[in-house]
Amino acid sequence: VTFNCGSSPYKLVLSSTKSITQTTVIDGGNLVTLDGGGQVRQLLLNNNFDATTPTLTLQNITLANGHGTDNAGTGAPTGGGAVYRYGGTLNVINSQFINNIGPASGQDSAGGAIYSVGVGTTTVVGSTFQGNQASDGGALGNLGASVALVNDTIQGNRATGTGGNPGNGGNGGGVYMDG
């Protein structure tokens, strides 16, 4: 997926979460922001806990103001203000995650920007996480997942939960790993 919106920065405000079900590359050309408007998570890679496919690659894009809703106990994803990966593989290259919000409290509710759960990997290269928050892992949350961070900037993110694990979160202002 590429965008043809001219040479000026462009903000696309989403009204619903976009579900990724097949291998996809989204390239913002260093001009595009996918904005959740403080209401919705931008992307959901929700396949199968035990699957390494499909692969979602995000490159040269900004994801801002996403909101992974507080829905613990409903069976719905509980985290990942911008991106929730349940199985599959996520690659992020030269991208920014700004002011995304995951659930404010809850055990295993994590990832203000990205929450990775299950088999598959999350690889983040040359990217920035700033001003994101969630119960655990203000920027990134990982549950039973493999993650590789290379030359990234993670600053000003916040774990908002309390009581630890077990409890209602509060672990990993920047990055949270469990399992």
Side-chain angles (χ1 to χ4, degrees), residues 58-160:
L58 301 173
Q59 57 193 32
N60 309 312
I61 196 161
T62 298
L63 280 76
N65 306 312
H67 192 270
T69 57
D70 291 310
N71 51 11
T74 66
T78 58
V83 178
Y84 184 91
R85 179 189 72 76
Y86 186 79
T89 298
L90 175 64
N91 298 313
V92 178
I93 304 161
N94 191 40
S95 295
Q96 296 182 48
F97 293 83
I98 311 295
N99 298 329
N100 297 288
I101 298 173
S105 67
Q107 183 175 352
D108 297 334
S109 295
I114 298 172
Y115 194 23
S116 293
V117 179
V119 175
T121 60
T122 295
T123 302
V124 184
V125 179
S127 297
T128 300
F129 295 83
Q130 186 169 6
N132 304 287
Q133 59 184 353
S135 178
D136 290 306
L140 296 143
N142 300 281
L143 178 62
S146 172
V147 64
L149 303 173
V150 181
N151 295 327
D152 299 303
T153 301
I154 301 172
Q155 64 183 23
N157 301 281
R158 191 165 63 102
T160 55

